[in-house]
Each structure stands twice: as C-alpha cells, then as structure tokens.
Amino acid sequence: MEEKGEKLCEAARIGDVAGVTSLIDAGYDVTYFDADGFTPLMYAAKLGHHEVISKLLEAGAPWNALSPSSLSAGDFAMQNGHQDAFDLLLNTGVQAELILGTIARKEKENSHSDGGYLVDRVSFSEDKLMDADSKAVMMAWEKPLMESHAKAVCSGGGHVLNVGFGMGLVDMAIQQYNPVSHTIIEAHPEVYDRMLRNGWGEKENVKILFGRWQDVLPQLGSYDGIFFDTYGEYYEDMREFHQHLPKLLKPGGIYSFFNGLCGDNAFFHVVYCNIVSLELENLGYTTQLIPLPVKDCLAEEVWEGVKQKYWQLDTYYLPVCQYTDDSE
Ligand SMILES: C[S@@+](CC[C@H](N)C(=O)[O-])C[C@H]1O[C@@H](n2cnc3c(N)ncnc32)[C@H](O)[C@@H]1O
C-alpha cells in the first residue's frame, strides 16, 4: 500500500502524466499521505505540473487536504507562482464548495439550532470580547479595518444599518460620519446591556434593534449603507442575509461585510472570496475586494489567551458591493 502511494507521489513530483494516469488506472490511492505528510497533489502543485494535477483531481484527489504546516495544494501552487495549477485548484475548490453548500442547505431544512453562542456568557476586556469558550468574538486589532468598513458604507451618507455590535468599533466609526439614521442590530443580551450602559440608546440618530437579524428583519427599512459582521454563525447564514439585500439596500447603496472567511488559510480564503463574489453577482451585485495590509497590527501577543487564531493572513480584502444595473 505504502509503496504504491510512494510511486504515485514520485510520478506526481516529476510531472509524469502518463505514469500518473496508469497508476491511477491500476487503482493506486490518490488520497495517500507520505511520511512527510504530503499528498501526490501537493507535490504536483508545488512544481506546477498542471496536467498531473488535472488527472489527480479527476480521480478524486482531495483539493483541500492539509500538510503538517496546514498548507493545501492551492497554497503550494500560489507560493511557487504556478498560475495554471493555481487556477485549476481554485476552480475545483469553488465548484466543490458550491455543491457542498447546496447539499448543506437541503440538510439544514430538516435540522434545528439550539441557540449556541447567543445563550452563553461573554466577557469584555479593553482589547477583546470573548465567548464562554475563550474564543474571540471581536478584537481591538480590527479597529482600522472597521474604520475602513465604516468609511465604505457611509460614503453615500443617508441611512446606515450595522448588523452585530461586538465592541462597537464599526459603530463608533459610523457615528463620525453623522448619518441621518444609524440602525444597529445586536442579539446577545450582555452585549446589548453594555451598549445601553454606554449610552448608545440615547444617541439621537441611533436605533437599536435587540434580537437576531433573522428575527428583526420585518422591522427593517431600506438603507444607503449596510455592514454585516456577526459571530457564531456560518457562511450559510451570511449567504441567507445576502438574499435579503435586494430589499434592504437602496439603489446605489453600498454593502460590506467582515471578510474573515477562512482567515486561517490563504488558499481557502481565495476560494471563499470567489464564492461570495459569485453568489453576490447572481443577486446583481459587483464586489470589489480592496487589499489592506494587516501584518503590522498583528503582533504575536495579540493572540495571548485566545483559543483560536482566526486570522493569519498578511492582507485583508475589504469587500465593497454595489448593485449593477445591466440595462444601463
Ligand atoms: C464580531 S462581533 C461584531 C464586531 C463589530 N463589527 C465591531 O466593530 O466591534 C459580532 C456581534 O454579532 C452579534 N451577533 C451574533 N449573531 C447575531 C445575529 N444572528 N443577529 C444579530 N447579532 C448577532 C454578537 O453578539 C456580536 O456582538
């Protein structure tokens, strides 16, 4: 078994398309991990053998398998500048996740959620908001990002909606633009209490809706700028929020969201940036991803006492979404 796997790794490494094809036909295992923790696909990606990659993927090699240092075949292609190999892996990743998403949505129709994070205690400190499991809900290093999000969603003035208060960083920044109205949705009772204690209930242009965005939808109007950043939810929840954008966002309005999608792996992040842009495009929105360097705000100490390092990339891609009228 091991010998067969080694042979496949070797053929992948040297880019031997005919060799890889005959080994696959002979039933060699494309999901094999060698003693160093690499798959045949990772070797082919490192060296940019895109025909071999294509054969391996067709035979069911896992595009999302991770090496011991948490890198996937796509990361290796990206790091080594193999554009064709990268495109092939990206396309496979996007297609696979789109299909999985459809399956997951079908399954969810039959399941019920138990309240999760929203019924647990949270703790506040100066530089972070943590859940009961020592995972960070929100951290102060994101302040410059939140300021950029606020700038984007306030660029047209008017009425602004923010979903998820957290530490209030984006809301403080939105207030600087003095919008006509500023609606904030927050579902966690302790975060909500803290908002009130800090005077958010008395601000003239602020309207707070306490509850899950899913539940307060009927109380919403339409807005010139919308920002979305919840916690304890999945990509599917944000996707569901996006289905409401045509009602919530005024023509010419700007939508943005916290782009933490797979923030711990560079390649998976690209896959998800593509998926979200595609899905928004299907709803009629164009998405611009504005690169912001974040390396300098992220010293190692930032993560002390935090269970999950949810962001590990050097660049943050700030999404700016707008409706495109094709008839123009
Ligand atoms: C990451 S924090 C938001 C951080 C915020 N952007 C800031 O600048 O500080 C996410 C917030 O969303 C809230 N939240 C989670 N699920 C929600 C839901 N379904 N509806 C509304 N708020 C939700 C959480 O309680 C938390 O306060």
Side-chain angles (χ1 to χ4, degrees):
M1 202 59 194
E2 193 179 319
E3 200 187 314
K4 286 183 170 183
E6 290 300 325
K7 268 197 179 163
L8 192 54
C9 284
E10 182 53 24
R13 199 175 0 234
I14 60 172
D16 176 3
V17 187
V20 167
T21 310
S22 64
L23 294 176
I24 290 173
D25 290 345
Y28 284 34
D29 182 11
V30 291
T31 67
Y32 178 76
F33 281 83
D34 71 5
D36 296 324
F38 297 122
T39 61
L41 188 68
M42 290 176 193
Y43 285 116
K46 268 188 199 183
L47 293 147
H49 301 312
H50 71 272
E51 281 181 63
V52 169
I53 295 174
S54 180
K55 290 278 172 218
L56 289 168
L57 289 172
E58 273 169 33
W63 67 276
N64 54 356
L66 291 175
S67 74
S69 49
S70 295
L71 296 172
S72 67
D75 290 294
F76 290 122
M78 200 154 80
Q79 284 178 356
N80 293 290
H82 300 307
Q83 190 65 43
D84 288 349
F86 172 79
D87 289 344
L88 203 56
L89 289 157
L90 176 60
N91 196 28
T92 304
V94 169
Q95 295 308 323
E97 289 299 288
L98 285 173
I99 293 167
L100 276 180
T102 312
I103 297 169
R105 278 190 291 285
K106 288 249 178 302
E107 282 175 358
K108 201 181 157 201
E109 280 167 20
N110 308 318
S111 71
H112 301 281
S113 121
D114 61 357
Y117 146 81
L118 291 174
V119 295
D120 284 340
R121 300 294 311 253
V122 290
S123 59
F124 299 91
S125 65
E126 192 127 303
D127 62 350
K128 47 188 164 310
L129 164 59
M130 307 266 269
D131 72 5
D133 202 20
S134 293
K135 289 191 191 138
V137 178
M138 183 62 188
M139 297 176 78
W141 69 266
E142 291 183 42
K143 187 165 180 256
L145 302 182
M146 291 299 140
E147 287 167 350
S148 302
H149 280 293
K151 188 175 177 188
V153 299
C154 293
S155 60
H159 303 272
V160 176
L161 169 68
N162 174 43
V163 186
F165 183 79
M167 292 171 71
L169 300 179
V170 82
D171 290 294
M172 283 187 259
I174 289 171
Q175 278 293 298
Q176 304 293 312
Y177 295 92
N178 200 19
V180 177
S181 78
H182 175 182
T183 305
I184 307 170
I185 308 176
E186 173 53 50
H188 199 290
E190 286 175 77
V191 177
Y192 174 65
D193 282 351
R194 193 164 185 260
M195 285 175 83
L196 297 184
R197 282 201 307 278
N198 289 339
W200 282 89
E202 283 119 58
K203 293 190 197 290
E204 245 176 43
N205 58 351
V206 171
K207 177 179 173 186
I208 307 174
L209 296 174
F210 172 49
R212 293 165 72 238
W213 63 263
Q214 293 87 339
D215 300 329
V216 302
L217 272 172
Q219 297 171 52
L220 299 177
S222 61
Y223 304 89
D224 301 281
I226 301 178
F227 181 59
F228 183 91
D229 179 15
T230 61
Y231 175 81
E233 297 197 307
Y234 297 99
Y235 175 74
E236 284 303 316
D237 299 291
M238 183 166 82
R239 188 182 181 279
E240 191 189 322
F241 181 76
H242 292 170
Q243 311 305 309
H244 300 283
L245 282 178
K247 267 201 168 161
L248 297 176
L249 192 64
K250 288 188 185 174
I254 303 270
Y255 169 66
S256 189
F257 57 90
F258 175 64
N259 188 2
L261 299 164
C262 306
D264 55 358
N265 178 285
F267 181 67
F268 297 167
H269 185 58
V270 180
V271 169
Y272 265 86
C273 283
N274 272 263
I275 290 178
V276 74
S277 303
L278 268 175
E279 296 196 314
L280 282 164
E281 195 181 312
N282 287 339
L283 292 165
Y285 299 92
T286 50
T287 303
Q288 237 186 306
L289 293 169
I290 299 171
L292 299 176
V294 286
K295 206 176 176 181
D296 295 343
C297 23
L298 268 173
E300 211 34 56
E301 310 85 83
V302 168
W303 300 104
E304 262 166 36
V306 179
K307 208 167 173 184
Q308 221 173 39
K309 211 170 158 182
Y310 61 85
W311 187 265
Q312 306 204 21
L313 314 177
D314 294 343
T315 307
Y316 178 78
Y317 291 91
L318 185 136
V320 177
C321 313
Q322 260 182 309
Y323 189 72
T324 36
D325 189 349
D326 286 338
S327 61
E328 270 175 22

